[in-house]
Amino acid sequence: MIPFVRRADGVHLGMSSGERALLTSLTEQLRQVLDGDLTDDPVAERMFPDAYPGDDDASAEFREYTQSDLLRQKTTNATIVHEWLTGVRDGPLDTEDEQAWLRTLTDLRLTIAERLGIADADDEQRSVEADAGVGLRDVYDWLGYVQEHLVTTLTSH
């Protein structure tokens, strides 16, 4: 299981077909979340946190001017990753692709962390020890590994 491989011409996707299938499904689900009504979804609070905690008016104004652009960028990033996973894109990742991967993996981990109730290190430890959600917790850890592997691969020359 080597998610990314550095070759002479750059970093390439090295995931197995099973890993690609899992990540394709997760990316499709992320796109559905981003395309849906985020008004009452707690995931929105994780992906678009208050810029000014304690000042509802300033936070609302900031959100008004930035959230649609952030949402569009998150959707674009997820689409880029989806295209790599499904073979629409191939070859070495360019700078935009690398950033899309890093950001999408972060968004996936934030989404799963919210679903698992992980907000801090104590919550994370409790989720490791809990019986419920073990499968989802495994996916959360795997995504962390993939993200770490990508950073390591990008920074090694």
Side-chain angles (χ1 to χ4, degrees):
M1 175 166 108
I2 299 174
F4 300 94
V5 177
R6 178 170 288 287
R7 296 186 185 143
D9 63 343
V11 174
H12 291 254
L13 189 60
M15 290 182 184
S16 70
S17 60
E19 292 168 329
R20 282 181 186 231
L22 172 60
L23 199 46
T24 298
S25 175
L26 292 172
T27 304
E28 288 169 353
Q29 291 174 50
L30 175 62
R31 288 167 53 184
Q32 289 173 357
V33 167
L34 294 171
D35 289 342
D37 181 10
L38 293 171
T39 307
D40 295 324
D41 192 334
V43 168
E45 292 179 34
R46 294 293 288 270
M47 285 197 203
F48 309 103
D50 279 343
Y52 303 99
D55 188 339
D56 293 341
D57 292 338
S59 287
E61 183 179 359
F62 182 80
R63 192 174 296 110
E64 177 184 344
Y65 291 111
T66 61
Q67 188 162 341
S68 64
D69 288 340
L70 288 171
L71 183 60
R72 187 172 25 263
Q73 186 60 55
K74 289 177 181 299
T75 301
T76 298
N77 290 336
T79 299
I80 289 170
V81 169
H82 189 267
E83 289 174 352
W84 277 99
L85 293 166
T86 57
V88 172
R89 294 182 186 224
D90 194 20
L93 277 67
D94 64 24
T95 303
E96 179 186 18
D97 298 327
E98 295 167 0
Q99 291 303 307
W101 272 94
L102 291 168
R103 291 176 177 149
T104 298
L105 289 167
T106 296
D107 288 341
L108 287 168
R109 284 180 48 89
L110 284 171
T111 301
I112 293 173
E114 181 60 37
R115 302 298 190 231
L116 289 170
I118 299 172
D120 58 29
D122 291 338
D123 292 338
E124 188 163 1
Q125 185 57 38
R126 278 192 290 278
S127 76
V128 169
E129 298 164 358
D131 291 335
V134 172
L136 190 55
R137 176 60 206 218
D138 291 340
V139 172
Y140 176 79
D141 288 340
W142 177 73
L143 288 170
Y145 163 76
V146 172
Q147 190 172 37
E148 179 181 4
H149 189 271
L150 176 56
V151 169
T152 301
T153 304
L154 290 173
T155 58
S156 67
H157 293 274

